[in-house]
Amino acid sequence: MSVEAAIDTSPTETRSRPHILLRDDWLHVHFGAGTPAHADFHWFWLRHQCDGERHPVTGERTLDASEVPLDIRPRSVTLDEGAGRLHVVWDEPSGRQSHYDLSWLRAHAYAPDRPQVPPPPSDVARVALDARRLPDAAAVVEACLGLLRREGLAVVRGFASAPGRAPEDDTDALVDAFTAGGLALISTHFGRIEDLRTDNTTNQNTDQLGYTDAGIDLHTDQPFLDRPPRYQLLQCVRPATLGGESYLVDALAAARLLQAIDAPAFELLTTVPVRFHRKQKAFERVVDAPLLTMEGPEGFQSRYSYFTLAPFDRPFAEMEAWYRAYTRFARIVRDRRNQYRFELQPGEFVIYDNYRMLHARTAFSGPRWLRGVYFDPA
């Protein structure tokens, strides 16, 4: 089944006509003229209301809600606009078919005219800059900072601080340009500049995933610090022979979507502290904090790092709800349709808001080398 993104992108001229949009967890129905104009219906609710699950003589329901799996999905969905009826074939061994009159759905709409919250964006073009089209490094920095404020990241192509300069020699020039532009360099337990390569000999505390060729799934950096660095810049010196694709997700957009579709999950992730514990041979830090913070002196902040999370510690009666909330957010950010995905070439770099963006890479082979730098607002 083809599933569309969680926002109505139908042409304006068709929105007055009945039509449907399929979501991962629910169906969006436009009824056409009248009130409500549209409504959302969870798949499990629709399966429970199946018109075929009634006694043929009495018309009474024969299916209990507890018999419907919450993860039920359709095999196919079609709308007969002329008849004003929705037809669903369910993805179950029986191939059960259900039929719903649009007038009945409108009368029983429990989420009428619900605002449509977009998923995290994924079009790299909206966050990309071509440094060759800008007059100098100061202009590149200004453009990057503008994108950081609006979108949370900037992907910069074609950067070179001077003709013929090797990419690894550009890093200090980038640091100078960004500090001149209003950021402050932050040194961490890795050192001033990270050399993210499997044969690293320049950094401290390299006993962690970043210095291997393993894939690293979505995370924020240094959530185990009281105040993690706000921005990170990653510059490509040498790409991998195979693999090593970068991908990022806007966690703020993901949090807003979660709030719109699962308020209890959002409440748990923004109020319940969890423990982040980084333990290395020569370094250890522990912090307790919620995964998502939507207000406060820093505004939005995500702390999300599966490899530094300590065991979840919740009361027995609350543990299942916590895992469900965590998984609901993870499903949003791990959906490839919600991710910026790209590969960096020598000299190119990405700079992103470590409070807003989750970042990751695929596994790779070959001598991949990225240089990493942390900044805070000056």
Side-chain angles (χ1 to χ4, degrees):
M1 181 188 68
S2 175
V3 181
E4 300 183 38
I7 188 169
D8 184 6
T9 57
S10 55
T12 302
E13 61 270 18
T14 68
R15 294 184 186 177
S16 61
R17 296 171 49 192
H19 63 280
I20 58 174
L21 296 168
L22 278 61
R23 314 304 195 203
D24 285 333
D25 299 327
W26 71 94
L27 178 71
H28 184 70
V29 180
H30 267 267
F31 298 110
T35 303
H38 58 84
D40 293 323
F41 301 91
H42 289 93
W43 295 119
F44 55 77
W45 185 92
L46 288 167
R47 180 63 182 87
H48 181 218
Q49 306 305 321
C50 175
D51 55 356
E53 303 284 3
R54 293 184 178 275
H55 191 276
V57 176
T58 69
E60 294 171 290
R61 191 188 311 279
T62 57
L63 178 69
D64 185 73
S66 65
E67 299 175 82
V68 179
L70 292 179
D71 61 354
I72 188 76
R73 295 294 183 270
R75 191 174 299 163
S76 65
V77 183
T78 56
L79 173 65
D80 185 339
E81 186 178 341
R85 280 173 69 79
L86 181 73
H87 305 281
V88 180
V89 179
W90 295 101
D91 190 16
E92 54 186 69
S94 68
R96 165 65 74 182
Q97 298 187 33
S98 303
H99 312 279
Y100 311 87
D101 288 331
L102 292 187
S103 59
W104 185 90
L105 288 173
R106 176 177 257 166
H108 293 85
Y110 60 90
D113 295 329
R114 191 173 72 90
Q116 299 297 290
V117 177
S122 60
D123 182 6
V124 177
R126 71 184 280 166
V127 296
L129 294 171
D130 188 343
R132 292 164 294 195
R133 299 190 176 191
L134 297 170
D136 52 31
V140 172
V141 168
E142 183 179 4
C144 284
L145 295 180
L147 276 173
L148 277 177
R149 287 189 293 270
R150 295 193 305 274
E151 306 290 346
L153 81 157
V155 180
V156 181
R157 308 292 192 185
F159 179 81
S161 62
R165 185 191 293 269
E168 60 267 35
D169 296 329
D170 264 336
T171 310
D172 280 310
L174 278 172
V175 170
D176 292 342
F178 276 97
T179 54
L183 300 185
L185 177 68
I186 300 297
S187 184
T188 70
H189 66 293
F190 301 118
R192 177 175 175 271
I193 296 176
E194 286 190 81
D195 286 302
L196 296 164
R197 50 193 292 180
T198 58
D199 58 349
N200 181 287
T201 59
T202 60
N203 289 109
Q204 310 162 37
N205 300 299
T206 58
D207 52 329
Q208 58 101 14
L209 285 170
Y211 299 95
T212 72
D213 57 8
I216 305 176
D217 218 320
L218 292 159
H219 63 283
T220 58
D221 270 12
Q222 317 237 20
F224 43 81
L225 299 181
D226 290 326
R227 191 181 185 282
R230 182 62 185 266
Y231 304 112
Q232 184 176 27
L233 183 150
L234 292 171
Q235 180 199 21
C236 178
V237 175
R238 188 168 55 227
T241 304
L242 183 67
E245 181 184 36
S246 298
Y247 56 104
L248 293 94
V249 175
D250 187 339
L252 175 58
R256 287 171 173 162
L257 180 57
L258 180 68
Q259 185 178 26
I261 64 176
D262 195 334
F266 176 82
E267 178 71 14
L268 283 174
L269 297 191
T270 54
T271 59
V272 174
V274 293
R275 175 157 293 180
F276 294 92
H277 183 193
R278 165 62 88 188
K279 183 173 176 58
Q280 297 175 266
K281 293 177 182 177
F283 179 85
E284 185 172 10
R285 292 289 187 280
V286 175
V287 162
D288 294 332
L291 266 75
L292 304 173
T293 303
M294 297 295 286
E295 55 187 28
E298 301 294 346
F300 176 76
Q301 183 175 1
S302 171
R303 294 177 188 257
Y304 187 90
S305 173
Y306 63 99
F307 50 85
T308 61
L309 271 173
F312 294 138
D313 184 12
R314 303 297 304 148
F316 186 91
E318 299 175 16
M319 187 63 80
E320 183 176 353
W322 168 257
Y323 266 85
R324 286 182 181 275
Y326 182 90
T327 300
R328 196 68 186 269
F329 181 74
R331 281 177 55 193
I332 295 172
V333 298
R334 292 191 173 204
D335 188 331
R336 285 180 64 102
R337 296 168 301 173
N338 299 336
Q339 299 170 356
Y340 294 108
R341 301 184 78 98
F342 54 90
E343 293 183 8
L344 294 174
Q345 298 304 312
E348 298 178 344
F349 66 90
V350 58
I351 183 168
Y352 56 86
D353 186 337
N354 185 47
Y355 288 11
R356 176 173 172 177
M357 306 301 297
L358 312 182
H359 67 286
R361 75 174 187 218
T362 61
F364 65 90
S365 60
R368 183 179 189 264
W369 179 9
L370 265 62
R371 305 201 83 194
V373 185
Y374 292 106
F375 295 99
D376 267 344

